[in-house]
């Protein structure tokens, strides 16, 4: 069972409206955003069109101020949090469950071929004038569809989602994403996101990438200002913070889930990294 706090689509809906949502998708136009400081995951994909203002978003170890106009994509596995940056924003957001998008799609791995959905980071597409107008028209069509009484509403929305994915992929092919840096660094982050709970040795990642530990460390330090060991520790700390939000888990259970030899070792590691014991962090950041 996945013990990480994961917001359901219904919970996401409740953050924006009091209306009940029985669909596998949810669309909202907002001029304010529910700012959630503590990291969490979601069961749905999200495509967000920031039309006006700016917002601070953090996914895993990357915090960025996003200015309009921009498109933000988030896959379900992305750990994210939000901080206010602008008094006034205008944003359209479409949340959708994978089963909704993949209905009638023979390739169940369709979305996995787009790294702006499967990478452990959020992806931001800054829009030039022409692209801003184009995406504005697409989101207007989505709004018109969902505000109408069309019996084929779900099918039409699914078609627009395909268009959004293809348009974003076209942009991805022509510009360098904010997170595209040294290919070795990118590959390191990709492997780290999958293996950090089991493998904490820099040597393991160097071997996986067929480079020496020294060379890998040099590349990571040059591209991020932090060592490979820092990256590994930061991933573990973030996962621990998310787990500590779940009050049904004991500190010992979390220690075991993070593969520490015992609760004491986990406590020392967490306090060394954050300045708080796991229990102190839970009390100060409980939901």
């Amino acid at each position: 069972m996945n013990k990480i706090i994961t917001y359901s689509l219904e919970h996401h809906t409740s953050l924006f409206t009091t209306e009940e949502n029985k669909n596998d998708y949810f669309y909202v136009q907002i001029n304010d955003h529910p700012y959630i400081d503590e990291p969490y995951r979601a069961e749905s994909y999200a495509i967000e069109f920031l039309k006006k203002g700016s917002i601070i978003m953090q996914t895993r170890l990357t915090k960025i101020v996003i200015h309009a106009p921009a498109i933000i994509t988030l896959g379900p596995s992305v750990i994210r949090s939000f901080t206010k940056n602008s008094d006034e924003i205008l944003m359209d957001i479409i949340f959708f469950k994978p089963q909704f998008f993949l209905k009638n799609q023979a390739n169940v791995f369709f979305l996995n071929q787009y790294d702006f959905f499967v990478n452990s980071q959020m992806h931001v597409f800054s829009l030039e004038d022409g692209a801003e107008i184009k995406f504005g028209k697409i989101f207007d069509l989505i709004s018109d569809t969902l505000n109408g009484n069309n019996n084929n509403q779900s099918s039409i929305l699914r078609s627009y989602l395909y268009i959004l994915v293809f348009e974003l992929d076209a942009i991805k092919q022509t510009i360098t994403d904010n997170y595209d840096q040294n290919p070795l660094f990118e590959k390191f982050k990709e492997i780290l996101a999958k293996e950090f709970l089991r493998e904490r040795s820099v040597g393991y990642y160097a071997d996986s990438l067929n480079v020496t530990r020294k060379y890998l460390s040099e590349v990571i330090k040059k591209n991020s200002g932090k060592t490979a060991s820092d990256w590994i520790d930061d991933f573990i700390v973030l996962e621990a913070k998310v787990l500590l939000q779940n009050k049904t888990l004991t500190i010992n259970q979390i220690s075991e889930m993070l593969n520490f030899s015992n609760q004491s070792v986990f406590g020392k590691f967490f306090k060394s990294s954050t300045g708080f014991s796991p229990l102190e962090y839970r009390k100060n950041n409980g939901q």
Side-chain angles (χ1 to χ4, degrees):
M1 180 179 295
N2 185 3
K3 297 294 186 179
I4 299 294
I5 286 184
T6 300
Y7 283 4
S8 66
L9 182 61
E10 290 73 21
H11 182 79
H12 260 132
T13 302
S14 70
L15 295 175
F16 297 97
T17 179
T18 58
E19 297 179 6
E20 184 178 3
N21 177 34
K22 297 182 179 180
N23 297 316
D24 286 339
Y25 56 86
F26 173 65
Y27 177 75
V28 63
Q29 295 176 307
I30 58 172
N31 53 26
D32 196 7
H33 196 286
Y35 297 102
I36 306 166
D37 293 331
E38 288 304 308
Y40 69 95
R41 289 190 177 115
E43 70 168 348
S44 55
Y45 289 85
I47 301 177
E48 309 187 358
F49 181 21
L50 181 61
K51 298 178 174 179
K52 182 178 181 180
S54 61
I55 187 171
I56 299 174
M57 295 186 69
Q58 179 166 339
T59 56
R60 285 219 176 267
L61 308 178
T62 301
K63 179 181 288 187
I64 183 172
V65 180
I66 305 169
H67 297 278
I71 298 287
I72 306 156
T73 60
L74 293 160
S77 64
V78 175
I79 297 177
R80 78 290 301 263
S81 60
F82 304 87
T83 308
K84 185 174 183 178
N85 190 63
S86 178
D87 288 335
E88 185 178 2
I89 65 171
L90 185 61
M91 178 182 282
D92 290 11
I93 309 175
I94 178 73
F95 300 98
F96 58 95
K97 294 182 181 180
Q99 59 264 34
F100 170 76
F101 184 92
L102 296 172
K103 185 178 181 180
N104 303 322
Q105 168 60 249
N107 179 11
V108 296
F109 301 107
F110 179 87
L111 290 170
N112 293 344
Q113 64 188 310
Y114 300 102
D115 64 351
F116 51 82
F117 277 143
V118 299
N119 195 290
S120 62
Q121 297 280 5
M122 65 179 167
H123 285 261
V124 180
F125 299 81
S126 296
L127 304 179
E128 301 295 336
D129 290 344
E132 179 184 5
I133 294 172
K134 179 188 293 183
F135 280 99
K137 290 178 179 179
I138 297 172
F139 275 88
D140 285 345
L141 289 169
I142 291 174
S143 178
D144 290 344
T145 297
L146 297 185
N147 288 328
N149 295 314
N150 196 311
N151 292 330
N152 296 311
Q153 182 183 86
S154 295
S155 297
I156 295 172
L157 172 60
R158 195 175 294 110
S159 297
Y160 287 138
L161 284 174
Y162 272 98
I163 292 172
L164 285 174
V165 170
F166 292 142
E167 290 289 353
L168 290 172
D169 187 52
I171 295 177
K172 185 70 176 176
Q173 299 302 318
T174 58
I175 65 173
T176 301
D177 187 277
N178 287 334
Y179 307 103
D180 288 337
Q181 302 179 49
N182 183 284
L184 182 65
F185 179 43
E186 292 299 310
K187 191 64 177 177
F188 166 75
K189 290 191 292 183
E190 180 182 333
I191 298 175
L192 179 61
K194 297 177 182 177
E195 303 290 345
F196 73 95
L197 288 177
R198 294 182 293 272
E199 301 291 345
R200 299 176 186 174
S201 165
V202 176
Y204 169 82
Y205 296 98
D207 291 343
S208 298
L209 295 165
N210 297 313
V211 296
T212 66
R213 175 172 176 162
K214 180 181 179 181
Y215 180 70
L216 177 63
S217 297
E218 289 174 350
V219 170
I220 303 305
K221 182 72 172 178
K222 181 179 179 181
N223 281 269
S224 69
K226 297 188 297 184
T227 67
S229 293
D230 288 338
W231 273 87
I232 296 169
D233 288 350
D234 286 349
F235 261 63
I236 297 167
V237 168
L238 179 58
E239 195 79 1
K241 287 180 177 180
V242 177
L243 287 168
L244 285 166
Q245 294 177 69
N246 189 337
K247 298 296 183 62
T248 66
L249 295 174
T250 66
I251 304 299
N252 188 58
Q253 285 175 317
I254 293 173
S255 172
E256 292 177 351
M257 294 174 69
L258 295 173
N259 288 320
F260 283 89
S261 56
N262 57 60
Q263 181 176 331
S264 177
V265 173
F266 166 57
K268 290 178 181 178
F269 167 82
F270 190 84
K271 187 162 187 176
S272 175
S273 301
T274 66
F276 298 96
S277 71
L279 187 58
E280 288 171 338
Y281 179 85
R282 171 170 276 177
K283 288 180 178 179
N284 293 334
N285 297 273
Q287 292 185 346

